[in-house]
Amino acid sequence: MTRSDRWFVVAVLGGVLAVIITAVVALGVGRKNVSPPDLQEQPNPAIPGEILYVNRESCIIVARASGESRRQVACTGIPPRLLFFLDETRIAYVDAVPSGQNLVTLDLETGRELSRTAYKDDRTLLLQSAPDGTQAFQRDDGRIQLIRDGQVLTEIKFDGLDWGPQFAGWSPDSQWFAVTYSPPRGRGAELWLVSRDGAVRGTLAKDAGTPAIAWRIAGVGAWPLPPE
């Protein structure tokens, strides 16, 4: 083999190695999947109730928290900031427009708009609070601490993530919570459901939009509470 042949082989091997490195870094080839089990593929009946969430197209979805079923209720155009179950037949969302905020009520079955009124309430802190008074405190490193009466009850860790998930809301029985996580490399945000002790986790959606959710459990109620 001549010197030029050897350099040719080295160049080819270098090009192949560069392609492999690019695939690993840019596309995540060989990267461990850090997401919890997909509830659409593996429903978990232990996760109770129904959840409202918003997908990337600003459409409101109602889904069984177990992952067994889901359907689109309505597409809002403007991503909702807050969601509420009002009763068995109605839901509501809060939009944010330049002229102010509106509380929009929809028929849960048809998605038809029923009413639209000005909304001035501030529910920011409520989203972190469970019905039993437990507070979710999100650390910079992605940990979520559950605190009540000034005491840390438990700490939920999310290992292997490039950055921590964003807390989204509680279940009405205070035993579950939801977070959204945006995977690297431009993939859609995921909506994860997590038991209070962190032992049970599932991915409810891989196309989440805003972190707004509402959760309802039959015989228990809904959270967050709807505006008065």
Side-chain angles (χ1 to χ4, degrees), residues 103-140:
L103 180 70
V104 183
T105 301
L106 302 177
D107 182 284
L108 178 57
E109 181 63 30
T110 65
R112 181 172 63 91
E113 183 174 321
L114 301 176
S115 66
R116 181 181 293 260
T117 58
Y119 180 82
K120 299 180 180 181
D121 199 358
D122 185 2
R123 295 294 182 101
T124 304
L125 294 179
L126 178 63
L127 299 179
Q128 309 295 323
S129 302
D132 69 356
T134 301
Q135 298 282 326
F137 185 77
Q138 192 157 349
R139 293 290 185 179
D140 292 339

Side-chain angles (χ1 to χ4, degrees), residues 37-53:
D38 189 333
L39 294 173
Q40 290 192 73
E41 298 177 356
Q42 306 173 50
N44 187 346
I47 308 178
E50 293 180 301
I51 289 180
L52 294 174
Y53 72 90

Side-chain angles (χ1 to χ4, degrees), residues 63-186:
R64 296 292 303 174
S66 63
E68 293 171 309
S69 64
R70 69 196 60 213
R71 66 177 179 84
Q72 180 177 297
V73 178
C75 294
T76 62
I78 299 174
R81 190 174 69 83
L82 295 171
L83 294 170
F84 303 99
F85 281 105
L86 300 182
D87 52 37
E88 297 296 322
T89 63
R90 298 178 304 147
I91 64 171
Y93 70 91
V94 174
D95 64 7
V97 295
S99 58
Q101 297 186 97
N102 296 307
L103 180 70
V104 183
T105 301
L106 302 177
D107 182 284
L108 178 57
E109 181 63 30
T110 65
R112 181 172 63 91
E113 183 174 321
L114 301 176
S115 66
R116 181 181 293 260
T117 58
Y119 180 82
K120 299 180 180 181
D121 199 358
D122 185 2
R123 295 294 182 101
T124 304
L125 294 179
L126 178 63
L127 299 179
Q128 309 295 323
S129 302
D132 69 356
T134 301
Q135 298 282 326
F137 185 77
Q138 192 157 349
R139 293 290 185 179
D140 292 339
D141 60 3
R143 293 175 296 147
I144 293 178
Q145 291 180 327
L146 305 185
I147 301 173
R148 189 167 61 196
D149 300 326
Q151 300 295 318
V152 177
L153 303 179
T154 189
E155 185 176 82
I156 311 299
K157 296 181 179 180
F158 299 88
D159 297 327
L161 306 185
D162 294 84
W163 43 78
Q166 180 177 355
F167 192 87
W170 284 94
S171 65
D173 62 359
S174 305
Q175 298 305 305
W176 302 82
F177 62 86
V179 298
T180 56
Y181 173 66
S182 298
R185 288 168 292 280

